[in-house]
Amino acid sequence: MSKNYWLVKSEPSAYSFDDLISEEDMSAEWDGVRNYAARNNMQKMKVGDQVLFYHSMIVPPKVVGISVVVKEAYPDNTAWDTESEHPDPKSSPDNPIWYMVDIKAQARMACSVSLNEIKAHPGLTEMVLVKLSRLSVQPVTETEWNYIVEMGHPEKIT
DNA sequence: GCCAACGTTGGC
DNA sequence: GCCAACGTTGGC
C-alpha cells in the first residue's frame, strides 16, 4: 500500500498547529470528530500517511503545516465522557461510534497556503476543500499534495 | 423512505 | 454578524 494524503481542519482558537508542536513528542489524539464522513476518512488513515494541517475560521483560512499519522483509528473515548466538549450519549465503550487517530507535527509551512491561493490554482479546483468546505477530515490526492507543498515551502520542525 | 425543520460549519 | 451549504433528526 502506498502512502495516502489527507487534510484536517482546526480552529486555531480551539487547537492550533502550534498547540500540536507544543505537545510532548509533538503528537496528539485527533479527537472530537463527530461527522460520519470525516470519521470514515480517519478510519482509512495508515501510519505514515501525511496530513495537511489547516486553520479554519480565521482570516485568511490557510494550510499552516504538515503532520503524519502515528496511530491508526481507535475509539474516541471523549465521546462517552459527559465532561468532554463533544459528548455523544449514543456512544459507549461497547459501541464507540466515533474514532480518533494520533498525529505528529512534521513541518511548518514557511509560506502558509491560503484558501484564496488554493482556489486560484488551476490544479486545485477539484480539491475537496474547495468542493465540500465543511468536511473536517478529507482526502488529498498526490497531485494536490505536491502543489500545496510547492506553494508552502515546508520546513522540518526539529 | 421522504422531507421539513433545525443545528452546525465556515467563508466572508 | 450574516448567510449559504450541508448534515441530522423526527414526524408521518
Side-chain angles (χ1 to χ4, degrees), chain A residues 14-73:
Chain A
Y15 194 88
S16 70
F17 192 58
D18 282 337
D19 290 333
L20 180 62
I21 292 169
S22 305
E23 302 276 2
E24 187 181 347
D25 203 30
M26 296 196 299
S27 72
E29 299 173 342
W30 203 252
D31 62 15
V33 173
R34 300 290 181 266
N35 168 285
Y36 288 104
R39 179 204 67 183
N40 294 345
N41 286 330
M42 274 202 301
Q43 289 178 319
K44 293 177 199 158
M45 288 182 178
K46 299 293 175 195
V47 168
D49 282 3
Q50 286 187 289
V51 184
L52 295 172
F53 199 109
Y54 178 85
H55 280 172
S56 65
M57 303 296 278
I58 52 163
V59 181
K62 56 191 179 177
V63 175
V64 294
I66 292 174
S67 55
V68 60
V69 176
V70 290
K71 184 172 177 179
E72 288 166 23

Side-chain angles (χ1 to χ4, degrees), chain A residues 34-144:
Chain A
R34 300 290 181 266
N35 168 285
Y36 288 104
R39 179 204 67 183
N40 294 345
N41 286 330
M42 274 202 301
Q43 289 178 319
K44 293 177 199 158
M45 288 182 178
K46 299 293 175 195
V47 168
D49 282 3
Q50 286 187 289
V51 184
L52 295 172
F53 199 109
Y54 178 85
H55 280 172
S56 65
M57 303 296 278
I58 52 163
V59 181
K62 56 191 179 177
V63 175
V64 294
I66 292 174
S67 55
V68 60
V69 176
V70 290
K71 184 172 177 179
E72 288 166 23
Y74 59 108
D76 181 346
N77 56 284
T78 69
W80 58 82
D81 175 3
T82 52
E83 304 290 302
S84 82
E85 287 190 39
H86 306 283
D88 180 353
K90 295 195 291 296
S91 174
S92 68
D94 286 341
N95 180 29
I97 303 180
W98 304 113
Y99 286 76
M100 57 188 174
V101 298
D102 288 1
I103 62 171
K104 175 176 178 164
Q106 248 186 352
R108 184 197 300 278
M109 294 308 193
C111 313
S112 54
V113 183
S114 73
L115 180 59
N116 264 342
E117 293 173 79
I118 289 170
K119 284 178 172 172
H121 193 293
L124 297 175
T125 54
E126 295 299 311
M127 263 193 93
V128 179
L129 187 68
V130 177
K131 296 254 155 180
L132 249 182
S133 67
R134 290 185 50 190
L135 186 57
S136 62
V137 180
Q138 52 181 261
V140 174
T141 69
E142 187 173 10
T143 310
E144 291 163 351

